[in-house]
Amino acid sequence: MKNFFPDKVLSLHCDSLTKPTAFVRTYGCQQNFADSEQLSGLLQAMGYGFVTSPDTADLIIFNTCAVRENAEERVFGNVGALKKLKERNPNLTIVLCGCMFQQEATAFNFKKRFPFVDIIFGTANTGRFAEFLFRHLFNGEKICEPRGEFDTEFDEDKPVKREDKLSVSIPIMSGCNNFCSYCIVPYVRGRERSRSADAVVSEAAAAIAEGAKQIMLLGQNVNSYGNGFTRLLSQIDSLEGEFFLDYMTSHPKDCTKDLIDLTAQSEKITRRLHLPVQSGSDRVLSLMNRGYNRTRYLELVRYAKEKIPDLSLTTDIIVGFPGETEADFADTLSLIEEARFDSAYTFLYSKRSGTAAAELIDDTTADEKAARFKRLLEKVSEVGLERYQSYVGQTLRVLFNKPQSGKSRQGITVEAATNRDLTGTFADVTITEAKKVSLIGALTN
Ligand code: 5AD
Ligand code: SF4
């Protein structure tokens, strides 16, 4: 894909020989950010430069998320606001893609509501972006392609433009087979498919050679990685050099003791386990089709904390699932106490049409849900602060991504009192104070 008809693109957009520019906005999860790095990689190979504001761009991409309704609403407003940019610059190309537009009804609705948009496609068609752009730029076609078959294999030759060269995200698989009853992901990302271990390991090795200090392996459910996730992780773990090795997301039903044992022995694998629990109630977990119960989850947590004493456990929790009772919710609060999460992403249940849970009767009032959400946040921050306070006095290895702050091996933001610029380096920090979302400390030497 190198130098893909760059000259023609140049002449279409510009009078002078300056590069045409692109602005890429990404919503949603890490997977989606990784997709944007591929779309940008392609644009870069075609001769585009990049700008940080849509105002001056020749091409604008919104790569969207469909996981909750409020994510979709934000996109709606932001697309509407592009109309005046298009009026000012008729040569502007506007592209909408990602999970939202894998839903046909949404794609055609946007096409109708926002006729100034040029190209719309869903996640299954990410690999056809070059073709769509070509058809638009050269034939003036308006494109709306929410359908399409998901690839069964990874295309390994795609260029990537990395946003962050220090902490590099590498997709190891794509799609999801779990069909949790609330979740749209299996519908908008297709079935699970894994990359070859060779491709992943060589991409990691190349990133490290180019100076990456953190490798983040991405998948909706990394534990079901085709050729064995523990094996893949240990292969990358044995690469030369100092780097943090991290992964997202682990599904409690498939997270193995092997993986925890490997983490315990490793010098590089981060001391963070993000293990989304969603609910503490067995009844709700079963309605969610999660494939584990409270007891099994807590057993896994106990095993992990025993093997890895400096482990930071984080989670995702949904409140207000259809039919969630006060007793179910109380089970979630007590699970937070028992599991002792360092932090949690908390979500109000959002009905996604097409999912199994959308068919369930939801008779909890919005006020009740809002009150529970508030109590949930209070419990999460209470336990989180206690956990953060337990780091005071400990020495943590920190990767600095800013002059005086970075992320510890636990994935926690640490600020160090120093005048030096530590960007891009590792240092040990002895923690002196815990704040709500970060730790403060002094350099150990
Ligand atoms: N409503 C609320 N939260 C959801 N999540 C996924 N689908 C929904 C939904 N329909 C949350 C889950 C998941 C995280 C990425 O988003 O907690 O782990
Ligand atoms: Fe990521 Fe899911 Fe959102 Fe798509 S819908 S961007 S896979 S969280």
Side-chain angles (χ1 to χ4, degrees):
M1 270 308 166
K2 281 210 175 82
N3 299 321
F4 191 81
F5 51 80
D7 295 334
K8 289 208 176 159
V9 173
L10 278 175
S11 60
L12 260 175
H13 278 300
C14 308
D15 302 328
S16 70
L17 269 179
T18 54
K19 279 185 173 185
T21 56
F23 170 78
V24 182
R25 174 175 284 157
T26 312
Y27 302 79
C29 67
Q30 309 253 13
Q31 262 85 3
N32 227 30
F33 277 83
D35 287 353
S36 284
E37 292 190 342
Q38 286 194 354
L39 296 169
S40 301
L42 188 90
L43 289 173
Q44 192 170 45
M46 289 167 76
Y48 279 84
F50 293 85
V51 285
T52 52
S53 149
D55 297 350
T56 58
D58 299 298
L59 183 143
I60 295 173
I61 299 184
F62 284 178
N63 187 11
T64 62
C65 172
V67 83
R68 286 173 297 273
E69 193 174 7
N70 56 7
E72 298 202 339
E73 279 162 1
R74 273 197 301 150
V75 173
F76 222 86
N78 291 345
V79 172
L82 295 179
K83 189 172 183 204
K84 61 179 193 308
L85 292 184
K86 186 79 171 191
E87 283 165 0
R88 220 169 58 200
N89 173 13
N91 281 334
L92 173 65
T93 301
I94 298 177
V95 182
L96 305 180
C97 62
C99 294
M100 264 179 88
F101 301 103
Q102 190 58 33
Q103 307 169 99
E104 254 177 75
T106 307
F108 288 109
N109 182 27
F110 268 67
K111 181 182 149 88
K112 207 163 113 199
R113 288 282 298 261
F114 306 109
F116 56 87
V117 170
D118 300 296
I119 300 174
I120 300 176
F121 59 91
T123 39
N125 282 332
T126 304
R128 292 177 65 195
F129 175 49
E131 173 209 324
F132 296 150
L133 189 54
F134 184 91
R135 280 165 49 193
H136 173 68
L137 291 176
F138 288 84
N139 305 336
E141 280 182 63
K142 289 263 182 186
I143 310 246
C144 183
E145 298 250 19
R147 299 185 197 89
E149 295 285 306
F150 285 95
D151 289 339
T152 47
E153 276 174 31
F154 270 84
D155 178 356
E156 293 295 351
D157 293 327
K158 287 186 199 132
V160 177
K161 179 182 176 282
R162 300 206 189 280
E163 282 311 309
D164 185 346
K165 292 201 154 71
L166 198 62
S167 175
V168 165
S169 294
I170 303 181
I172 62 166
M173 55 197 301
S174 161
C176 184
N177 291 351
N178 291 317
F179 291 93
C180 299
S181 64
Y182 51 82
C183 189
I184 194 83
V185 170
Y187 305 92
V188 294
R189 290 262 165 192
R191 294 292 68 71
E192 248 171 39
R193 53 228 176 260
S194 299
R195 283 177 77 182
S196 78
D198 283 353
V200 175
V201 174
S202 57
E203 188 171 342
I208 293 160
E210 283 167 27
K213 302 279 186 222
Q214 170 151 5
I215 300 291
M216 166 76 99
L217 304 178
L218 297 180
Q220 294 294 344
N221 177 6
V222 292
N223 309 100
S224 64
Y225 174 75
N227 311 315
F229 183 60
T230 306
R231 225 174 83 203
L232 175 72
L233 202 61
S234 82
Q235 271 176 279
I236 299 175
D237 188 47
S238 57
L239 294 173
E240 292 282 318
E242 182 173 11
F243 59 92
F244 284 162
L245 178 53
D246 204 356
Y247 52 86
M248 272 196 129
T249 295
S250 220
H251 194 304
K253 92 177 154 59
D254 300 317
C255 181
T256 61
K257 293 190 168 171
D258 270 12
L259 176 63
I260 291 164
D261 294 344
L262 173 69
T263 303
Q265 292 157 20
S266 165
E267 299 271 310
K268 293 175 177 133
I269 303 175
T270 48
R271 262 68 182 111
R272 171 174 72 150
L273 188 58
H274 184 68
L275 207 56
V277 68
Q278 313 300 1
S279 168
S281 150
D282 281 346
R283 199 183 70 83
V284 173
L285 285 172
S286 153
L287 286 171
M288 287 177 164
N289 190 30
R290 288 290 287 172
Y292 56 87
N293 60 22
R294 177 191 178 100
T295 307
R296 243 195 75 201
Y297 183 87
L298 287 170
E299 246 171 48
L300 191 61
V301 165
R302 204 169 305 120
Y303 185 82
K305 290 199 172 192
E306 199 182 289
K307 289 274 166 159
I308 313 164
D310 58 345
L311 185 74
S312 166
L313 184 73
T314 62
T315 200
D316 293 347
I317 298 171
I318 297 177
V319 71
F321 185 82
E324 180 190 76
T325 64
E326 183 55 33
D328 294 321
F329 178 65
D331 284 346
T332 298
L333 293 184
S334 73
L335 181 127
I336 296 168
E337 293 265 353
E338 281 184 54
R340 307 209 61 70
F341 299 112
D342 276 25
S343 62
Y345 295 101
T346 49
F347 306 104
L348 250 181
Y349 169 75
S350 172
K351 180 175 170 176
R352 308 281 66 205
S353 64
T355 62
E359 307 301 318
L360 298 174
I361 293 166
D362 187 0
D363 53 5
T364 316
T365 65
D367 282 353
E368 248 174 303
K369 288 187 184 184
R372 278 182 202 162
F373 191 69
K374 192 164 162 268
R375 286 160 65 200
L376 176 68
L377 285 181
E378 281 164 8
K379 178 58 73 187
V380 165
S381 19
E382 174 198 313
V383 172
L385 188 60
E386 284 168 15
R387 282 284 311 154
Y388 273 28
Q389 276 160 350
S390 75
Y391 292 104
V392 172
Q394 288 189 39
T395 298
L396 306 181
R397 190 84 177 143
V398 175
L399 171 59
F400 285 81
N401 56 357
K402 299 206 183 106
Q404 279 95 35
S405 77
K407 292 267 170 118
S408 78
R409 200 174 164 201
Q410 290 71 17
I412 301 172
T413 299
V414 174
E415 292 166 48
T418 170
N419 298 325
R420 285 160 53 197
D421 180 349
L422 296 168
T423 311
T425 63
F426 288 96
D428 291 326
V429 178
T430 304
I431 304 305
T432 52
E433 191 190 335
K435 293 200 168 182
K436 267 191 176 167
V437 290
S438 64
L439 299 172
I440 317 279
L443 291 180
T444 304
N445 293 315

